[in-house]
Amino acid sequence: MSAVKPLNYPPSLKMEQTDNYHGTVVKDPYRWLEDSDSQETKAWIKAQNQVTFSYLQAIPSREKIKQRLTKLWDYEKYGIPFQEGNKYFYLKNNGLQNQSVLYTLNRLDAQPKVLLDPNKLSADGTVALSGLSVSDDGKLLAYGISTSGSDWQQWKVRDVETGKDLSDSLQWVKFSRVSWTSNSLGFFYSRYDQPTGKNKFEDVNYYQKLYYHRIGTPQSKDTLIYQRSDHKEWGFSGKVTEDGQYLIISVWLGTDRRNLVFYQDLTNPDGKVVELISNFTANYSFIGNDKGVFYFRTDVNAPRGKIIAINTQKPESKYWQEILPQSVDTLRNVSIINNQFIASYLQDAHSQIKIFDLSGLLVRQVELPGIGSVGGFYGKRNDRETFYSFTSFTTPTTIYRYDMVTGKSQVLRSPQVDFNPADYETRQVFYQSKDGTKIPMFITSKKGIKFDGDNPTYLYGYGGFNVSLTPSFSVSMLVWMEMGGVYAVPNLRGGGEYGQEWHQAGMKLNKQNVFDDFIGAAEWLIQNKYTQKGKLAIAGGSNGGLLVGACMTQRPDLFAVTLPSVGVMDMLRFHKFTIGWAWISEYGSPENKEEFTALYAYSPLHNLKPGTTYPATMITTADHDDRVVPVHSFKFAAALQAAHSGNTPVLIRIETKAGHGAGKPTTKIIDEIADRWSFLAHNLEM
């Protein structure tokens, strides 16, 4: 480790800033870093990056790691095809393209045609395709683009046949789907008013509105379909039913899984929006309809999910019909294809697919290639074919065509990656958390590796927002395992692996359970000789960045390296930026005394203790992150550098022209991973 010079951190000014929360006075000396446009903050960012990148570039193994990443990354990656009109559409990346390209073709065996190449929208690949929707006749493509990783989208419309854009341009769209009317004359979308503050990347987002846009008209002429000036937090997602008769409006409140459902009869020119489900008591996900009978996947009185039918002529809950009851496994998604329900379940955090008829009787279980994760199974009501993807920790994402009549799967696209899957193995173990709860964990490594307590181990987690961590292939993790590393992924409470009860056991006042689960995973790996404290690294992004921040402040002795990425680090002010208010349903509110006490007890920023030796740490964030604004990481880095008493490095890596992660160009991804692995290799003495 002598190759890297001792670090001299840039000074971070401390200000006399305090706040009083329910009688508790809390210091916030780095509040000035919240102004990301100030000259002082810009100078601080520049100085921190100079220290960080000088350190990383001096690590001897970095260039070799980057070369191997680049070589492995260079393989064709296919998205799941879908069909509209008489055309198929799919995304493909040739290997090292910064952004995937959208193709269209008339038959699966025909020569594909480029419909949209986002790589031509910017020289550096920082403009990304962030959403797309094709009209029912397959003739028009509505597509959203994002710049530098921002959640803000601009939507445009392209003629599929000519590949030319029409005049349509929609601005200030965020957290919105696009759904076409069946006549292909226009679509529904949601947007916010134009931000009036000086910084559109930090302004709070309230009062989303649902609009209809008619093709060929300016956005100023769009028809306002629904808004609620009495509920500034409500958001709206519009979906047109396959028969074109109804607009289904899902009303969301932040990241709360519970939602409302309204609808509008599009065949009635005077049709009003009808409130079908008007209380935030459960989650209702629209599947399809038989005229006025709507099918939903819901967790009402079924925390692991079930299918119900609601007749709009008798909408009261006493008339609701249970089509498919709750199972021992967690029902995640349902679609209707070939007049059958395709139900996607999670069984101990891996996929299981079952097909039922519309009365709920089992037709068959889909045979999958192994234990892994499945995506897709999209399509129309009368389709006889559909497509899905399968991936595992050792299987690159493979695309299959599925025959709904015969039940047979056929490989459509199988990627060729420069490695032998047989050289690696995944095992699933179960360990006990602090309170005795059984937690599953996947562990992947090279076959034949000796578990003698000396293996560098990368422990990755999330634990929140009902998000499930299921098996998936990653070139970056393949390189890590080639280096001799072990990869461990526990399915922490707060996720959705075992339904809503599992989620609720890791949110609000129960959030400490998530940190206990993660710490328990680390201790289990050490006790079972997979690794030791000096060889253990923990990582996570966004809510997972919070996870890492909380665990490193609670147990700094347990880890050698910590990698919190785009994390929520200030749990007392998270709700004051962009969409942060929406996380109150997950975390609780500092305005509530009881919830403040819980938040303050684990908030990473507020639990750093001066004079403590913390693990080697590299915080990562991005200047255009308008989901978890970078000020969280800025303030945490400044406070950590001030509190840290050891010789291990405490760095912050601030990416420019990038956001929360979505749409990040391949070149930036490879650079960031090369920095991450070289930082680990150096500090774990690999």
Side-chain angles (χ1 to χ4, degrees):
M1 295 177 68
S2 58
V4 178
K5 297 176 183 177
L7 296 177
N8 184 20
Y9 301 114
S12 297
L13 175 69
K14 284 189 175 182
M15 300 180 67
E16 293 296 325
Q17 171 68 47
T18 60
D19 299 289
N20 191 312
Y21 294 89
H22 315 285
T24 300
V25 176
V26 179
K27 292 182 179 180
D28 192 5
Y30 304 109
R31 179 78 58 85
W32 60 275
L33 284 168
E34 291 183 3
D35 185 357
S36 59
D37 278 340
S38 73
Q39 291 305 311
E40 292 81 5
T41 301
K42 288 179 178 179
W44 182 89
I45 291 171
K46 183 178 179 181
Q48 291 285 351
N49 268 347
Q50 283 177 341
V51 171
T52 298
F53 288 109
S54 294
Y55 176 94
L56 294 169
Q57 287 161 9
I59 297 174
S61 61
R62 186 190 181 280
E63 188 55 36
K64 185 177 179 182
I65 291 170
K66 182 180 177 181
Q67 288 174 3
R68 182 58 176 152
L69 277 167
T70 304
K71 186 173 188 298
L72 277 174
W73 212 285
D74 194 8
Y75 72 93
E76 290 183 330
K77 306 165 188 71
Y78 287 88
I80 302 168
F82 64 93
Q83 189 174 13
E84 293 292 352
N86 61 356
K87 293 183 182 295
Y88 292 95
F89 302 84
Y90 67 94
L91 288 163
K92 176 192 170 187
N93 191 302
N94 286 337
L96 294 175
Q97 289 175 295
N98 275 320
Q99 304 292 341
S100 294
V101 177
L102 180 63
Y103 292 85
T104 182
L105 65 172
N106 296 325
R107 301 184 323 275
L108 291 175
D109 59 354
Q111 186 67 27
K113 179 177 109 178
V114 173
L115 177 55
L116 178 62
D117 184 355
N119 298 290
K120 296 182 177 179
L121 300 179
S122 63
D124 58 2
T126 55
V127 174
L129 178 64
S130 53
L132 62 92
S133 180
V134 179
S135 60
D136 287 11
D137 59 10
K139 294 181 178 179
L140 294 175
L141 164 72
Y143 67 97
I145 55 174
S146 299
T147 301
S148 300
S150 172
D151 280 335
W152 288 115
Q153 296 176 316
Q154 177 187 11
W155 279 80
K156 298 184 176 184
V157 179
R158 178 162 293 194
D159 185 296
V160 172
E161 194 59 42
T162 66
K164 303 293 185 184
D165 281 346
L166 307 184
S167 61
D168 306 74
S169 179
L170 309 180
Q171 304 284 350
W172 306 115
V173 183
K174 184 187 278 194
F175 312 129
S176 174
R177 72 188 306 163
V178 158
S179 187
W180 289 84
T181 51
S182 59
N183 57 15
S184 301
L185 294 179
F187 53 78
F188 298 92
Y189 73 102
S190 304
R191 59 161 292 190
Y192 292 93
D193 293 332
Q194 182 172 346
T196 55
K198 65 177 182 179
N199 192 337
K200 67 181 180 181
F201 294 109
E202 293 180 8
D203 286 348
V204 180
N205 304 135
Y206 287 130
Y207 298 110
Q208 194 184 50
K209 301 177 177 69
L210 179 64
Y211 284 91
Y212 170 71
H213 174 73
R214 189 175 179 89
I215 300 303
T217 63
Q219 188 175 16
S220 59
K221 298 295 185 183
D222 288 353
T223 303
L224 176 63
I225 302 299
Y226 199 78
Q227 66 171 331
R228 287 298 289 264
S229 57
D230 56 333
H231 290 290
K232 65 180 181 180
E233 300 95 349
W234 285 15
F236 309 101
S237 177
K239 175 180 174 61
V240 178
T241 56
E242 188 180 325
D243 60 12
Q245 183 172 355
Y246 297 100
L247 173 67
I248 308 296
I249 304 171
S250 178
V251 184
W252 51 270
L253 180 59
T255 55
D256 195 333
R257 287 277 298 167
R258 297 172 295 181
N259 63 310
L260 313 181
V261 179
F262 304 160
Y263 70 91
Q264 184 179 36
D265 187 346
L266 298 177
T267 63
N268 182 356
D270 300 316
K272 304 296 183 185
V273 172
V274 178
E275 296 189 6
L276 180 64
I277 297 166
S278 54
N279 292 305
F280 287 100
T281 55
N283 173 261
Y284 298 88
S285 179
F286 180 77
I287 302 168
N289 67 300
D290 282 318
K291 297 184 178 178
V293 176
F294 295 171
Y295 298 107
F296 292 94
R297 181 263 173 215
T298 181
D299 56 16
V300 62
N301 301 319
R304 292 186 302 279
K306 64 181 180 182
I307 298 176
I308 64 170
I310 301 177
N311 190 329
T312 54
Q313 299 304 307
K314 293 181 178 180
E316 296 83 5
S317 59
K318 63 181 179 181
Y319 296 115
W320 293 1
Q321 181 184 2
E322 184 178 85
I323 303 296
L324 188 64
Q326 177 176 251
S327 162
V328 294
D329 299 317
T330 303
L331 179 62
R332 298 295 287 172
N333 298 295
V334 185
S335 56
I336 301 179
I337 303 174
N338 191 38
N339 287 298
Q340 295 171 324
F341 291 121
I342 301 184
S344 176
Y345 288 94
L346 279 185
Q347 182 183 56
D348 289 332
H350 57 83
S351 291
Q352 188 181 79
I353 307 296
K354 294 181 179 180
I355 298 177
F356 301 87
D357 67 20
L358 295 184
S359 69
L361 291 176
L362 179 66
V363 176
R364 73 176 76 93
Q365 182 169 326
V366 177
E367 291 185 24
L368 299 176
I371 292 177
S373 303
V374 170
F377 286 107
Y378 313 127
K380 296 291 200 308
R381 182 71 174 258
N382 295 313
D383 286 352
R384 299 295 181 92
E385 68 173 0
T386 185
F387 304 91
Y388 69 92
S389 64
F390 177 85
T391 184
S392 73
F393 291 113
T394 57
T395 307
T397 301
T398 303
I399 307 300
Y400 291 83
R401 177 188 178 275
Y402 185 74
D403 190 312
M404 290 294 299
V405 178
T406 66
K408 300 296 183 184
S409 293
Q410 173 190 358
V411 174
L412 189 66
R413 304 289 185 208
S414 180
Q416 302 301 311
V417 185
D418 184 23
F419 88 115
N420 182 7
D423 293 342
Y424 300 84
E425 62 182 348
T426 297
R427 64 194 73 188
Q428 187 176 37
V429 301
F430 294 83
Y431 67 93
Q432 281 195 345
S433 188
K434 184 177 181 180
D435 63 359
T437 301
K438 188 170 72 169
I439 312 292
M441 176 163 58
F442 294 106
I443 304 173
T444 308
S445 65
K446 277 185 176 178
K447 275 184 184 172
I449 195 170
K450 246 177 101 179
F451 294 118
D452 55 4
D454 200 37
N455 298 301
T457 297
Y458 185 81
L459 178 63
Y460 179 85
Y462 189 80
F465 294 94
N466 203 52
V467 172
S468 301
L469 293 190
T470 61
S472 64
F473 179 77
S474 162
V475 164
S476 63
M477 297 318 306
L478 178 58
V479 171
W480 169 250
M481 291 185 290
E482 283 185 345
M483 292 164 60
V486 174
Y487 177 37
V489 181
N491 298 106
L492 313 173
R493 281 175 286 184
E497 288 88 348
Y498 294 104
Q500 197 56 22
E501 289 173 341
W502 193 254
H503 174 209
Q504 291 170 353
M507 58 188 285
K508 287 196 170 181
L509 300 180
N510 296 323
K511 189 68 177 175
Q512 183 60 39
N513 285 336
V514 185
F515 313 136
D516 290 342
D517 292 353
F518 202 51
I519 290 168
E523 292 175 333
W524 187 93
L525 289 164
I526 293 168
Q527 290 164 5
N528 287 272
K529 303 295 184 184
Y530 282 84
T531 191
Q532 56 173 283
K533 291 180 181 180
K535 295 288 187 180
L536 179 58
I538 57 172
S542 195
N543 175 73
L546 160 63
L547 170 71
V548 173
C551 290
M552 68 180 283
T553 53
Q554 292 182 18
R555 290 293 307 276
D557 62 303
L558 190 56
F559 318 107
V561 179
T562 56
L563 299 170
S565 178
V566 293
V568 188
M569 300 302 198
D570 184 345
M571 299 310 297
L572 303 186
R573 290 176 62 77
F574 70 88
H575 58 310
K576 295 184 178 292
F577 304 99
T578 61
I579 200 65
W581 61 265
W583 313 332
I584 287 174
S585 59
E586 182 78 13
Y587 295 139
S589 171
E591 319 291 331
N592 175 295
K593 187 175 183 180
E594 186 182 20
E595 292 172 348
F596 159 76
T597 302
L599 290 163
Y600 190 43
Y602 71 76
S603 177
L605 177 65
H606 301 97
N607 283 279
L608 291 164
K609 297 176 178 61
T612 301
T613 299
Y614 287 100
T617 299
M618 184 168 68
I619 302 160
T620 52
T621 188
D623 62 349
H624 278 67
D625 190 343
D626 48 11
R627 185 88 54 85
V628 180
V629 291
V631 298
H632 283 277
S633 294
F634 294 171
K635 291 166 70 175
F636 185 68
L640 180 59
Q641 288 174 350
H644 183 44
S645 69
N647 294 321
T648 51
V650 172
L651 305 174
I652 179 168
R653 183 188 189 279
I654 306 160
E655 186 67 80
T656 57
K657 296 186 75 176
H660 197 59
K664 185 179 288 188
T666 298
T667 49
K668 285 184 180 289
I669 293 172
I670 291 176
D671 274 336
E672 184 175 331
I673 296 168
D675 288 343
R676 186 187 308 155
W677 290 164
S678 56
F679 185 81
L680 285 185
H682 188 69
N683 287 284
L684 297 180
E685 299 184 332
M686 296 171 68

